[in-house]
Amino acid sequence: MRGAPAELTERHRDVLRVVIQDYIASAEPVGSRSVARKYGFRLSPATIRNVMADLAECGYLAQPHTSAGRVPTDQGYRIYVDSLMDRRPLTRAQEGMIEKRFYHVHEEVGDLMREATKLLSGLSRSVGVVLAPRVDQLAIRRIEFVQQSAERILVILVTTSGQVHHKMVALDEAIPQEELNTMARLLNAMVEGMSLSRVRQLLVKKMAEEKAMYDALLRQALKLGQKSFAEETEGEVYIDGTTNIMHEPEFADVEKMRAIFVAFDETSKLVRILDQCLGQQGLSVIIGSENVLREWQRLSLVMAPYYSGEQLLGTLGVIGPTRMDYDKIVPLVDFTARLVSRSLTEVAS
Amino acid sequence: MRGAPAELTERHRDVLRVVIQDYIASAEPVGSRSVARKYGFRLSPATIRNVMADLAECGYLAQPHTSAGRVPTDQGYRIYVDSLMDRRPLTRAQEGMIEKRFYHVHEEVGDLMREATKLLSGLSRSVGVVLAPRVDQLAIRRIEFVQQSAERILVILVTTSGQVHHKMVALDEAIPQEELNTMARLLNAMVEGMSLSRVRQLLVKKMAEEKAMYDALLRQALKLGQKSFAEETEGEVYIDGTTNIMHEPEFADVEKMRAIFVAFDETSKLVRILDQCLGQQGLSVIIGSENVLREWQRLSLVMAPYYSGEQLLGTLGVIGPTRMDYDKIVPLVDFTARLVSRSLTEVAS
DNA sequence: CCTTAGCACTCATACGACGAGAGTGCTAAC
DNA sequence: GTTAGCACTCTCGTCGTATGAGTGCTAAGG
């Protein structure tokens, strides 16, 4: 078995599990001695040492320096979450508590997102994040135009889920508020219940059809509609509990911590990372160096998508040091995603 | 002059100024030697020592330990900003750059606030904050009702300055969207251009008048209006550049830094502090322990109010360590407040 | 062949001593 | 009032040493 460790025996897996769990709990390199102890002394430290040497050779463990204990590598964590982990499900009491907290926030989607973020960060003692639904994908309930100045109007979009978005649109020529109202009425009748991206297609089609026709107002309305819906919107990110990770010993160095906080501030990059998780089916875990961006290589993400009915809306989860308590956090994220989905599904129906 | 230092001579003031400026630049206790040097050697270190001893006795300087140099106390900073400071005005180039950055953000008030925050934090290398106008004080341009479910409607308010606010309102009985539109029209005609707080008064008055009358729809509209405008809104805070202060040597200790960041996260407390500045006439500086809240005692604020025309809207400024570069930051905040006021005044007209 | 005891070896860490350097306060002379 | 001189204090960095945890290897035992 030396030289070229072909495959992991059951014992290797057991030891790896113990080492990782111990390291997650203590944040300190773990030695053969303490593994033997956790093992009930059925094996001697010397034996464990041999096993650990194998694991180190496979790249699942590393030692900070000769004669320190072993520390899991990102690869080690990967195996752990894929096949070694003991998921520690939420207690009934915790689940009840969470459900209660969601019970009161049917009001507005924004509140729901904020509540979910707080909940995730609070229970994980790490950073909670929610990638909010992109407006593109949501069904429109209403569009409204408000004249702001001669050549500027404020466009307000309301989604069926109760989100409100607004943007300014510049005009070539002034349009009186009265006319704007009529145009809004026309468009509302046309787009209610459709998603933004579908609306975009529809407008292009209608424009073509209408070209021949002679209803100037409708033409103008379509044109304004196109302007309003033009931009691809970027997902909004809710984030909470960043101060939690300051406690983690791995960020005791101020410079490292600063790097992390700068990373959290750059929401656009964060969005891109979270967008990746959207592509995945079900819960996904990204561990340290699996992340492309340098600033994120010391962090892990546990993310799960959430839905309204069948429709994928966004993703939510927890960001923490690679040495995070996956056993606890994976079930937490899973449960939270389910609950958010349920809330959103109820609102939509 | 020993024993009971009655009043500060010109020399005392000069020395105090030099010590504070040196400490702000170096973050290190300053000794008599270096003060003498900055003085052009017109006085010997020994003389300076006597002066500094007086200043220490008055409570303007302190020493971290015997045989270290002197460090300004909060009281020392207070005297400094009140009467010793050499304001270092912005250069023409800087002013031009700032004006340029504001030129493009007429679009939306939110953008303007965000831009101002970024600008303040960027140029000060500290934390920039803007306390946004409370909706109460802004003039309403438009109100809109969107039915969200049977007993819930979404109320959307647009201010003349282009801010959009929304909230959910629960109803006792369902009202069809058609009727909601009519009600919105009635209310719009009534409230356009008034501030929220004035609208509140108006509605109470109208309600009383209308009691006798028989227009059920109008009655209902007024009631709904009251619900919509009921709550006192809390000011929103924009904040940027929190990562800047991580560099400051006074926060090298992780625990202190965490305390600061927790403080920044508690926006409600922040709002209360900023509200205090609103009461002040003109630019105000709050130094360290002058702050009531424990978490804030290591920080200073330089804040200035901004207006739309004559009307006081909010306050903006910079938060940094007590050892911040007041010479530079005071003019910066002052200028930014002026510019924001100008932008807002233009939009309103 | 796997397991284990024993042992030499390697580092990180804590501790104390030591010296250098910066700065003070005081005293006495100018 | 100002200044030179001096003794004193205190921090900080360095260095050597002791300590202890943990390893890898070897050889003996099941």
Side-chain angles (χ1 to χ4, degrees):
Chain A
M1 168 118 266
R2 250 20 183 326
E7 206 157 315
L8 295 187
T9 65
E10 197 54 38
R11 175 177 295 168
H12 283 110
R13 296 161 51 81
D14 284 347
V15 170
L16 184 54
R17 180 187 297 116
V18 170
V19 170
I20 292 184
Q21 288 177 347
D22 197 328
Y23 183 69
I24 286 175
S26 72
E28 260 160 46
V30 359
S32 52
R33 199 189 176 68
S34 58
V35 175
R37 211 178 310 136
K38 286 249 166 57
Y39 233 79
F41 293 104
R42 294 202 315 279
L43 288 174
S44 79
T47 313
I48 304 290
R49 274 206 286 282
N50 288 329
V51 180
M52 284 167 81
D54 290 345
L55 289 168
E57 205 166 345
C58 295
Y60 300 134
L61 294 179
Q63 29 191 178
H65 51 266
T66 345
S67 100
R70 295 309 208 296
V71 162
T73 63
D74 290 350
Q75 267 184 76
Y77 284 122
R78 169 51 59 198
I79 291 221
Y80 180 74
V81 303
D82 283 348
S83 61
L84 302 178
M85 187 165 53
D86 303 323
R87 286 184 176 220
R88 188 155 13 99
L90 301 172
T91 63
R92 258 326 299 159
Q94 284 177 309
E95 292 193 349
M97 191 268 278
I98 298 178
E99 283 181 324
K100 216 165 171 183
R101 280 179 65 175
F102 275 119
Y103 191 75
H104 294 292
V105 288
H106 275 302
E107 298 286 289
E108 233 190 283
V109 182
D111 288 342
L112 181 67
M113 306 278 123
R114 257 183 294 277
E115 186 67 17
T117 322
K118 268 194 201 152
L119 196 143
L120 287 166
S121 72
L123 289 181
S124 69
R125 311 217 130 275
S126 287
V127 179
V129 280
V130 175
L131 178 64
R134 301 168 117 206
V135 201
D136 296 51
Q137 318 209 351
L138 296 178
I140 303 293
R141 166 150 293 150
R142 188 82 171 278
I143 183 170
E144 208 70 54
F145 301 120
V146 179
Q147 188 170 49
Q148 200 59 23
S149 71
E151 325 83 32
R152 244 187 222 117
I153 62 170
L154 188 62
V155 178
I156 301 177
L157 291 181
V158 183
T159 69
T160 49
S161 51
Q163 279 179 97
V164 179
H165 286 264
H166 61 277
K167 62 182 284 194
M168 282 285 185
V169 168
L171 295 178
D172 309 323
E173 46 179 339
I175 306 180
Q177 180 69 54
E178 200 51 46
E179 243 170 78
L180 286 175
N181 291 348
T182 318
M183 286 157 72
R185 247 199 323 277
L186 285 171
L187 284 171
N188 272 318
M190 212 177 287
V191 307
E192 167 145 28
M194 298 173 74
S195 80
L196 238 176
S197 40
R198 294 229 15 225
V199 169
R200 245 179 249 131
Q201 296 164 17
L202 178 76
L203 286 181
V204 172
K205 193 165 140 254
K206 284 265 184 190
M207 284 282 273
E209 283 175 13
E210 222 66 38
K211 207 167 239 163
M213 283 222 247
Y214 214 58
D215 189 337
L217 193 65
L218 182 54
R219 287 278 306 281
Q220 215 175 7
L222 290 174
K223 209 165 134 201
L224 180 54
Q226 257 190 330
K227 267 190 190 161
S228 314
F229 294 115
E231 257 163 48
E232 289 281 332
T233 53
E234 200 175 53
E236 196 183 353
V237 181
Y238 295 83
I239 188 163
D240 186 75
T242 47
T243 50
N244 283 339
I245 64 163
M246 290 201 182
H247 282 316
E248 302 295 348
E250 35 266 86
F251 303 123
D253 173 16
V254 178
E255 214 25 70
K256 284 194 190 95
M257 191 148 87
R258 207 188 102 88
I260 304 286
F261 272 75
V262 171
F264 285 145
D265 273 358
E266 290 186 71
T267 36
S268 59
K269 279 190 187 170
L270 185 48
V271 168
R272 222 173 317 142
I273 291 176
L274 298 184
D275 264 335
Q276 279 174 25
C277 301
L278 259 187
Q280 304 296 312
Q281 197 71 289
L283 188 138
S284 61
V285 181
I286 299 180
I287 297 165
S289 52
E290 293 171 10
N291 237 307
V292 195
L293 286 82
R294 173 179 291 268
E295 308 87 290
W296 290 86
Q297 305 221 338
R298 289 166 175 282
L299 298 174
S300 283
L301 291 80
V302 176
M303 305 296 305
Y306 61 86
Y307 301 82
S308 167
E310 300 285 294
Q311 193 193 10
L312 175 64
L313 286 187
T315 181
L316 58 78
V318 169
I319 303 177
T322 45
R323 185 189 66 75
M324 71 158 82
D325 188 353
Y326 299 97
D327 293 4
K328 185 180 90 180
I329 289 178
V330 167
L332 169 65
V333 170
D334 198 46
F335 185 73
T336 309
R338 267 178 234 283
L339 232 60
V340 167
S341 298
R342 200 175 77 190
S343 289
L344 288 171
T345 307
E346 277 170 14
V347 169
S349 61
Chain B
M1 170 114 266
R2 252 15 182 335
E7 208 156 316
L8 295 187
T9 64
E10 197 55 37
R11 174 178 295 167
H12 283 108
R13 295 162 51 83
D14 283 346
V15 170
L16 184 54
R17 179 187 299 115
V18 171
V19 170
I20 292 183
Q21 286 176 348
D22 198 327
Y23 183 69
I24 285 175
S26 72
E28 256 156 52
V30 357
S32 52
R33 199 187 174 71
S34 57
V35 175
R37 210 177 313 135
K38 287 249 166 57
Y39 234 80
F41 294 102
R42 293 203 314 279
L43 288 174
S44 79
T47 314
I48 303 289
R49 274 207 284 285
N50 288 330
V51 179
M52 283 167 81
D54 291 344
L55 289 168
E57 204 166 347
C58 295
Y60 301 134
L61 294 179
Q63 29 191 174
H65 51 267
T66 345
S67 100
R70 295 312 209 294
V71 161
T73 61
D74 290 349
Q75 267 184 77
Y77 283 122
R78 169 50 59 199
I79 291 221
Y80 181 72
V81 304
D82 283 348
S83 61
L84 301 179
M85 188 163 54
D86 302 324
R87 289 185 176 219
R88 186 153 18 95
L90 301 172
T91 64
R92 254 332 292 162
Q94 285 176 308
E95 291 193 350
M97 192 268 279
I98 297 178
E99 281 180 327
K100 217 167 172 182
R101 280 180 64 175
F102 275 120
Y103 191 76
H104 295 289
V105 289
H106 274 304
E107 296 288 285
E108 234 187 282
V109 181
D111 287 343
L112 180 67
M113 305 278 123
R114 258 182 293 278
E115 187 66 18
T117 323
K118 266 194 202 152
L119 196 143
L120 286 166
S121 72
L123 290 181
S124 69
R125 312 217 131 274
S126 287
V127 180
V129 282
V130 176
L131 177 65
R134 303 169 117 204
V135 199
D136 298 50
Q137 318 207 350
L138 296 178
I140 303 295
R141 165 149 295 149
R142 188 82 169 277
I143 182 168
E144 209 68 55
F145 301 119
V146 178
Q147 189 170 48
Q148 201 59 21
S149 71
E151 324 83 32
R152 244 188 222 113
I153 63 171
L154 188 62
V155 179
I156 302 176
L157 292 180
V158 182
T159 68
T160 48
S161 50
Q163 279 181 97
V164 178
H165 285 263
H166 62 278
K167 60 183 283 194
M168 284 284 185
V169 168
L171 297 177
D172 309 325
E173 48 180 334
I175 306 180
Q177 179 70 54
E178 201 50 46
E179 243 170 77
L180 287 175
N181 292 349
T182 318
M183 285 156 73
R185 248 198 325 276
L186 285 172
L187 284 172
N188 271 319
M190 212 176 286
V191 306
E192 168 145 26
M194 298 172 73
S195 80
L196 239 175
S197 40
R198 291 228 17 225
V199 169
R200 245 179 248 131
Q201 297 163 15
L202 178 74
L203 285 181
V204 172
K205 194 164 142 255
K206 284 266 184 187
M207 283 283 272
E209 284 176 11
E210 222 65 34
K211 207 168 237 163
M213 284 225 247
Y214 213 59
D215 188 337
L217 193 67
L218 183 54
R219 288 279 307 281
Q220 217 175 5
L222 291 175
K223 213 166 132 197
L224 180 54
Q226 258 190 331
K227 268 191 190 161
S228 314
F229 295 116
E231 255 164 49
E232 288 282 331
T233 52
E234 202 175 49
E236 199 182 352
V237 180
Y238 295 83
I239 186 163
D240 187 76
T242 48
T243 49
N244 283 341
I245 63 162
M246 290 199 181
H247 282 315
E248 302 295 348
E250 34 265 89
F251 304 123
D253 172 15
V254 178
E255 214 24 70
K256 283 194 190 97
M257 192 148 84
R258 206 186 102 89
I260 305 287
F261 273 74
V262 170
F264 285 146
D265 274 357
E266 291 186 73
T267 35
S268 59
K269 278 189 187 171
L270 184 48
V271 168
R272 221 172 321 143
I273 291 175
L274 298 185
D275 264 335
Q276 279 174 27
C277 301
L278 259 187
Q280 304 296 314
Q281 198 72 286
L283 189 138
S284 61
V285 181
I286 300 181
I287 296 166
S289 52
E290 293 172 7
N291 238 306
V292 194
L293 286 83
R294 173 179 292 267
E295 309 87 290
W296 289 87
Q297 306 221 336
R298 289 167 174 282
L299 298 173
S300 284
L301 290 81
V302 177
M303 304 297 305
Y306 62 87
Y307 302 81
S308 167
E310 300 284 295
Q311 192 192 11
L312 174 64
L313 287 186
T315 179
L316 58 77
V318 170
I319 303 178
T322 44
R323 184 189 64 76
M324 71 157 84
D325 187 353
Y326 299 96
D327 293 3
K328 185 180 90 180
I329 289 179
V330 166
L332 169 66
V333 170
D334 197 46
F335 185 72
T336 309
R338 268 179 234 281
L339 232 59
V340 167
S341 297
R342 201 176 76 191
S343 289
L344 289 171
T345 308
E346 276 170 15
V347 169
S349 62

